[in-house]
Amino acid sequence: MEGFMSVIVGIFFAVAIYLMLSQYIIRILLGVAILGNAVNLLLFVAGRVTREVPPIIGKGADALPASAANPLPQALILTAIVISFSFFAFLLVLAYRAYQTLKTDDTHQMRLAEPEDAAEPPLGY
């Protein structure tokens, strides 16, 4: 199961990078969202995919059983889900405001700060 999940993580990363290299803001945002999911899945796979023993220390024991799932990646995933959702919401609002102001979602046409007819900056000292 972990081998299959590793392939899925690789596919998620590839799709996320492909989308983030696009020139359209919506595709870039989808790439960021998929990248967050890929990182969460990577953390999940790193913590061993198992359903046999929950990560609970039993009565009279000092440590988890060897076959138990690692609880640290699960806690990291919960934190990462909240952070990636809030980051995605911020980027969504930012993209919406940029679309309202510039009337386009094409990053090549979003050259308000760098007009095409402006002089080139100095290339040396």
Side-chain angles (χ1 to χ4, degrees):
M1 186 66 169
E2 289 168 347
F4 174 71
M5 295 295 274
S6 299
V7 170
I8 296 296
V9 167
I11 291 171
F12 272 23
F13 273 111
V15 168
I17 291 171
Y18 174 76
L19 286 173
M20 289 191 321
L21 290 174
S22 175
Q23 69 182 13
Y24 298 104
I25 294 291
I26 298 301
R27 289 183 183 176
I28 294 170
L29 289 178
L30 288 175
V32 168
I34 292 173
L35 181 69
N37 289 331
V39 170
N40 292 341
L41 196 57
L42 177 70
L43 288 172
F44 182 70
V45 172
R48 286 181 280 149
V49 181
T50 181
R51 296 184 299 170
E52 295 173 12
V53 180
I56 299 172
I57 298 175
K59 205 178 232 184
D62 293 335
L64 284 173
S67 62
N70 191 355
L72 182 62
Q74 294 175 7
L76 288 174
I77 290 169
L78 287 175
T79 305
I81 288 170
V82 172
I83 292 171
S84 64
F85 178 73
S86 62
F87 183 63
F88 179 69
F90 172 73
L91 288 179
L92 194 61
V93 169
L94 188 65
Y96 180 68
R97 289 292 297 150
Y99 179 76
Q100 278 183 333
T101 303
L102 302 171
K103 304 291 190 251
T104 184
D105 68 338
D106 187 359
T107 57
H108 293 297
Q109 294 176 1
M110 292 181 170
R111 299 184 58 90
L112 188 61
E114 300 174 4
E116 290 185 22
D117 56 346
E120 293 290 325
L123 299 176
Y125 293 106

